[in-house]
Amino acid sequence: GSTPSRLPVAQYLSALRSFNKGSDWRQYLGSPAWALQFLRSDDCAQLFEASKNVWEELLRSVAALDPSQKLAVTVKRGDSFHCLGRRTRGAFRGPGIVLIDPPYEPYHEYLTWSLWLLRHLRRIWPSSSIALWYPIFNSEQTERLYNRFRDLGVGDAVVAEM
C-alpha cells in the first residue's frame, strides 16, 4: 500500500534553504541538484538529459555544485528510458536509487514509460529504491496513478507530495 510521509519534503526544503543561503530563494533545486546534495563519497551518479540546451545547463549546474569535482557524477546526453530500459539483471549490484523525473509532456505517454521503467528496474535490480516524480493535477488523476502503480505488483510505496 501507499503510506504518506512528510520526511522527504522536510529534507527537500532543508536542502533548498542551504542551497539558496538566505531568505531570497532565487534558485530552484531541481532533481539532479537535489540528488547531488545526498551523494556520499563512495556513491556515483549518472544523470541523463535528452535536450541539448538542458543538457548543457545541467553540465554547468553540476560543475557549480561540485567545483572541486569530488563527486563521481557523469552527465550523459540521451534518453534515460532507452539506456536504463536496455539493462538486464546483474547490470546493477547492491543497493542504489533511481530518480525518474521525466518532462510529462505529453502526460500519459511519459507516465506509461515511467511506470514501465519502474517495473523493469524492480525486476532487474530488486535491491534498488526508485523515486518517481509526478505532477499533481487533481485528485482523480493522482488516484489513477496510485491504482496503476498498485497494479504493477512491484511492492510497497512511500508517497511524499508537495
Side-chain angles (χ1 to χ4, degrees):
S2 298
T3 306
S5 173
R6 298 200 191 291
L7 182 59
V9 175
Q11 289 174 327
Y12 174 79
L13 292 175
S14 176
L16 187 59
R17 279 186 200 94
S18 67
F19 187 71
N20 277 284
K21 306 264 192 271
S23 61
D24 189 19
W25 290 9
R26 295 186 179 268
Q27 300 293 319
Y28 165 70
L29 193 58
S31 57
W34 180 65
L36 294 182
Q37 301 292 311
F38 299 101
L39 277 184
R40 300 167 302 194
S41 61
D42 57 339
D43 292 338
C44 65
Q46 291 186 20
L47 309 176
F48 296 88
E49 179 52 57
S51 162
K52 182 177 190 258
N53 293 339
V54 178
W55 173 75
E56 289 171 347
E57 181 61 35
L58 181 56
L59 285 170
R60 286 190 292 276
S61 296
V62 168
L65 288 166
D66 185 26
S68 61
Q69 298 180 341
K70 290 183 179 179
L71 299 175
V73 180
T74 305
V75 181
K76 298 181 178 186
R77 182 164 176 236
D79 183 337
S80 60
F81 292 115
H82 179 72
C83 181
L84 294 172
R86 293 182 311 168
R87 305 290 182 178
T88 59
R89 187 174 298 277
F92 304 106
R93 292 177 187 22
I97 185 165
V98 175
L99 172 59
I100 303 171
D101 184 3
Y104 282 108
E105 293 173 11
Y107 173 77
H108 294 291
E109 182 178 327
Y110 277 104
L111 177 62
T112 298
W113 274 107
S114 295
L115 292 172
W116 177 86
L117 183 59
L118 188 149
R119 183 179 61 205
H120 174 71
L121 289 169
R122 291 299 298 154
R123 286 180 177 162
I124 67 163
W125 192 14
S127 62
S128 67
S129 296
I130 302 164
L132 172 64
W133 182 93
Y134 56 91
I136 298 176
F137 298 116
N138 58 55
S139 60
E140 292 89 22
Q141 170 260 343
T142 303
E143 190 62 32
R144 281 193 301 274
L145 169 62
Y146 293 164
N147 290 335
R148 288 184 70 186
F149 175 82
R150 186 174 42 251
D151 291 346
L152 291 176
V154 295
D156 290 338
V158 174
V159 176
E161 297 174 344
M162 292 192 277

